[in-house]
């Protein structure tokens, strides 16, 4: 506890021009005698600190000295406090902790960090979409504790069809994607991913988690996300695109577009993933100015049918 008090006193000295024993006692809820002893201990430890006697006296850092207890560079401090702004997705606890940490930074880091906290607004909603309020699911804290402490949990879980199951899992990490939270865990059938808002109960077993030595949460999540994308868009079509239309395809299709090589006529070979032939034909029909679908034939036939229907309706 004394080490914590000494750190807190040093923070106060960096934040204010000078402090008195009474100031320290009031801030840390200790006696003035203890405060004076702690201030003396800081001076004996080599902190450039001196006392001023008489009216208006107190304790000061020599020459306004500053000690960077965080070890952060100016760039790192600015990057860190970008997530503490009023519109960021950080939790209130994270924001509060970062605002306390800023007091440990020297000038001019502190001014830059404080400015960074209010320099960026993050709005994850697309234009025209409904506002989605991001709420922490009920058992998020319990599962995060299990990950941090490395203990297995007995998990109650309700699947997408409403069936509830119970199983013991080894929590490996937690991922937030959009408004949803996911638990990545090892189970008796291999690695699984659970939506935390579908978790119905969590009970820590006390048994240690068996964590693969080479496990990397970010890499594991990329593999999971890629697999989910492949399942959601199992159909792949081949096409050629005019060079001036490639940027439009990238904007509309995103990660579902794979760009290949160029043909002798300058057009670019592409592969596009989609849910099924009907959905892809409707999506790509508006891109015929730049895109020619070369296969499979089912998508081409559906696009031709769309063209005939449009001509009949508007021709």
């Amino acid at each position: 506890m004394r080490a914590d008090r000494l750190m807190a006193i040093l923070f106060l000295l960096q934040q204010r021009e000078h402090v008195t024993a009474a100031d320290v006692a009031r801030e840390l809820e200790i006696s003035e005698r203890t405060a004076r002893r702690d201030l003396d201990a800081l001076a004996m430890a080599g902190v450039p600190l001196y006392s001023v006697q008489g009216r208006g006296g107190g304790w000061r850092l020599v020459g306004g000295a500053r000690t960077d207890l965080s070890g952060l560079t100016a760039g790192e401090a600015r990057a860190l406090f970008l997530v503490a702004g009023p519109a960021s997705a950080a939790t209130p606890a994270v924001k509060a902790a970062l605002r306390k940490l800023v007091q440990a930074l020297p000038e001019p880091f502190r001014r830059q960090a404080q400015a960074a906290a209010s320099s960026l607004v993050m709005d994850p909603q697309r234009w025209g979409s409904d506002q989605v309020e991001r709420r922490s699911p009920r058992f998020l804290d319990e599962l995060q504790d299990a990950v941090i402490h490395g203990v297995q949990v007995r998990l109650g879980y309700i699947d997408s069809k409403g069936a509830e199951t119970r199983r013991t899992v080894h929590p490996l990490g937690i991922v937030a994607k959009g408004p949803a939270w996911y638990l990545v865990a090892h189970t008796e059938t291999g690695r699984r991913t659970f939506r935390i808002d579908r978790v119905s109960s969590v009970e820590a077993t006390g048994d240690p988690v068996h964590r693969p030595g080479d496990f990397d949460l970010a890499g594991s999540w990329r593999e999971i996300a890629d697999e989910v994308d492949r399942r959601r868009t199992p159909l792949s079509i081949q096409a050629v695109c005019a060079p001036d239309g490639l940027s439009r395809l990238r904007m509309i299709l995103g990660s579902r577009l794979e760009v290949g090589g160029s043909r002798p006529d300058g057009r670019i070979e592409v592969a596009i993933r989609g849910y099924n032939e009907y959905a892809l034909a409707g999506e790509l029909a508006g891109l015929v100015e730049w895109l020619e679908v070369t296969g499979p034939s089912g998508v081409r036939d559906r696009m031709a049918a769309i063209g005939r229907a449009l001509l009949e309706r508007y021709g």
Side-chain angles (χ1 to χ4, degrees):
M1 288 299 295
R2 191 185 186 202
D4 291 343
R5 288 203 314 270
L6 296 179
M7 294 282 283
I9 292 171
L10 188 50
F11 289 172
L12 286 173
L13 287 164
Q14 292 186 145
Q15 183 181 3
R16 305 179 184 182
E17 184 178 347
H18 75 280
V19 298
T20 65
D23 292 334
V24 173
R26 185 169 53 255
E27 289 283 346
L28 304 185
E29 299 181 352
I30 57 178
S31 69
E32 289 191 32
R33 180 179 179 182
T34 299
R36 282 191 291 270
R37 187 170 63 245
D38 287 346
L39 286 161
D40 286 334
L42 282 173
M44 293 177 63
V47 174
L49 179 68
Y50 70 98
S51 63
V52 178
Q53 303 299 319
R55 185 179 179 84
W59 293 77
R60 301 170 184 264
L61 288 170
V62 175
R66 291 291 185 267
T67 301
D68 182 9
L69 299 179
S70 68
L72 298 174
T73 66
E76 290 168 340
R78 289 194 299 271
L80 179 63
F81 281 87
L82 281 174
V83 305
S88 79
T91 66
V94 170
K95 292 181 181 180
L98 291 175
R99 292 188 183 111
K100 290 178 181 178
L101 178 60
V102 77
Q103 302 305 332
L105 296 172
E107 297 288 358
F109 288 12
R110 189 189 310 167
R111 291 194 305 271
Q112 295 175 3
Q114 289 171 329
S118 59
S119 67
L120 179 67
V121 170
M122 299 177 65
D123 184 356
Q125 298 304 121
R126 294 183 178 180
W127 296 111
S129 63
D130 293 335
Q131 180 66 33
V132 177
E133 183 179 358
R134 183 169 180 169
R135 297 181 179 178
S136 297
R138 178 182 173 190
F139 293 105
L140 177 61
D141 288 343
E142 290 87 340
L143 290 171
Q144 189 173 31
D145 284 345
V147 172
I148 292 171
H149 293 101
V151 295
Q152 300 177 41
V153 297
R154 280 188 284 272
L155 195 72
Y157 190 72
I158 301 173
D159 65 20
S160 59
K161 298 180 180 179
E164 184 170 8
T165 58
R166 295 186 182 278
R167 71 197 83 187
T168 298
V169 304
H170 299 246
L172 300 175
I174 291 174
V175 175
K177 183 174 177 60
W181 294 83
Y182 297 87
L183 170 70
V184 179
H186 181 71
T187 72
E188 60 182 8
T189 58
R191 186 186 61 189
R192 288 285 310 277
T193 304
F194 303 90
R195 277 188 58 141
I196 298 180
D197 58 358
R198 292 180 182 166
V199 173
S200 58
S201 64
V202 173
E203 180 185 354
T205 66
D207 297 325
V209 164
H210 301 309
R211 187 183 185 91
D214 59 349
F215 177 77
D216 172 69
L217 180 59
S220 180
W221 179 254
R222 284 193 297 271
E223 293 176 4
I224 293 169
D226 289 345
E227 178 62 23
V228 171
D229 281 342
R230 284 192 292 270
R231 291 181 181 179
R232 294 180 64 183
T233 55
L235 176 65
S236 179
I237 65 103
Q238 291 73 50
V240 288
C241 176
D244 60 345
L246 190 59
S247 60
R248 185 176 296 269
L249 261 66
R250 291 185 189 278
M251 178 179 65
I252 295 173
L253 301 171
S255 62
R256 294 188 291 126
L257 173 70
E258 295 180 13
V259 180
S262 298
R263 289 191 170 187
D265 62 3
R267 292 188 299 172
I268 302 167
E269 296 180 345
V270 297
I272 300 169
R273 298 197 317 274
Y275 181 69
N276 57 31
E277 290 183 350
Y278 181 84
L280 262 181
E283 188 175 24
L284 301 180
L287 299 173
V288 293
E289 181 179 350
W290 305 278
L291 192 72
E292 178 188 352
V293 175
T294 57
S297 59
V299 175
R300 290 172 56 89
D301 292 344
R302 288 188 179 276
M303 292 181 69
I306 291 173
R308 289 192 295 269
L310 288 171
L311 184 61
E312 182 178 347
R313 177 67 61 89
Y314 300 106

